[in-house]
Amino acid sequence: MAERTIYLDHAATTALDPRVLEAMIPYFTTEYGNASSIYTLGRHAMQAIDRSREQVAEVLHSRPTEIAFVGCGSESDNLAIKGMAFASQKKGNHMITSSIEHHAVLHTCEYLDRFGFKTTYLPVDEYASINPDDVGRAITDQTILVSVMYANNEVGTIEPIAEIGRICRAKKVPFHVDAVQAGGAIPLDVVALNVDMLSLSAHKFYGPKGMGILYVRQGMRILPQLQGGSQERGRRAGTENIAGIVGTATALRLAQEEMELVTPRITALRDRLIERVLTIPRSRLTGHPTNRLPNNASFCFEGIEGESILLSLDMLGVAASTGSACTSGSIDPSHVLIAMGFSSEWSHGSLRLTLGKENTEADIDAVVSALPGIVEKVRGLGLAVGV
Ligand code: PLP
């Protein structure tokens, strides 16, 4: 079983698709021009960026001019939220987000406190679903931004984005969506979703790390957070990462083209995994039972530390997570599970298994046959918590 890694942590990151690497290589080697230069080599670089922007726009159903390439998903969230907040200071100082966002959103909102902004953090139900009516009720005449994630990175719940977008539009409040976990997994039509800004991260859909996308609907004004040159239509200064941009667009296009083929297969594997894991005593599925990302199977086991399960799985060559990659290593229970109402006895014992296109039935079977024994052993070792 330990001959090759059984990688079940695709929500943390994915391997670069070889076709993406192939598309990127020329821009590390022969096509090394700066896109701002007017000679042929520079023009080639600019053409590569333009083509990439068109490809991304096609997937998002947007205009190419509405797409900005940035340095990661976190930067995209930061630019959307700070950029809108600082551009709207004369209109108001109130923002709305949810209590289960990624720290790239939560910590950005907290940071803005010191500049006089105030944020309302909406609750979620036991499945991590946000009630769109709560958004409508929280909007005041001071509200300058609503930011809600498309799908949760820990438990995979898909939020009612189109409905929240409809409410925001009726009240003329800009709406930002962190779609980092949704990118490449579910449709990203910004028109159907009624969103004004949308963030993506390339390494979540078999693209390069250190690349993000921010969609900004035409007419929305945001202040850039990096001062310098006028790259990305003045929204993000800095010489463009051409290879990264080409890789991002190629990866997003491939994910979109292959979604119809990949999704049913991954969903079937996910359901097989969920069914078998839930036969373990004192286990629970976390997140919405049906309205969840096709690749996300997340659980809680009562009375144990998720980290102990991870270590045992790692010894068997299985890569998994207890929640968001950014919080693993910390012993605080996940803010997402706490917001969903899980007690400390349950929330410490979380396990997130996120599938990818290379996973097989044999991978799933290997994990589900090992997991009951691991949980039993960890419980028997007295590594219990909160009891
Ligand atoms: N938003 C969500 C929902 C995420 O899951 C992540 C990464 O895990 C991010 C934002 C940050 O993306 P990046 O790692 O590209 O900065």
Side-chain angles (χ1 to χ4, degrees), residues 11-13 71-77 100-105 149-154 178-182 199-204 209-212 324-326 352:
T13 196
C72 57
S74 301
E75 184 186 331
S76 180
D77 285 335
I100 58 158
E101 299 295 313
H102 189 270
H103 287 135
V105 168
M149 68 201 325
Y150 196 169
N152 183 265
N153 46 301
E154 295 187 31
D178 175 341
V180 167
Q181 289 293 334
S199 296
L200 291 169
S201 174
H203 74 101
K204 307 289 187 184
K209 291 176 181 57
M211 276 306 303
S324 109
C326 321
R352 180 186 72 179

Side-chain angles (χ1 to χ4, degrees), residues 11-31:
T13 196
T14 56
L16 195 72
D17 186 303
R19 296 166 294 177
V20 174
L21 176 62
E22 199 183 322
M24 292 171 72
I25 283 173
Y27 299 96
F28 287 120
T29 51
T30 49
E31 298 287 359

Side-chain angles (χ1 to χ4, degrees), residues 369-382:
S369 61
L371 202 53
I374 291 175
V375 171
E376 200 183 333
K377 190 186 82 192
V378 172
R379 279 188 176 137
L381 284 175

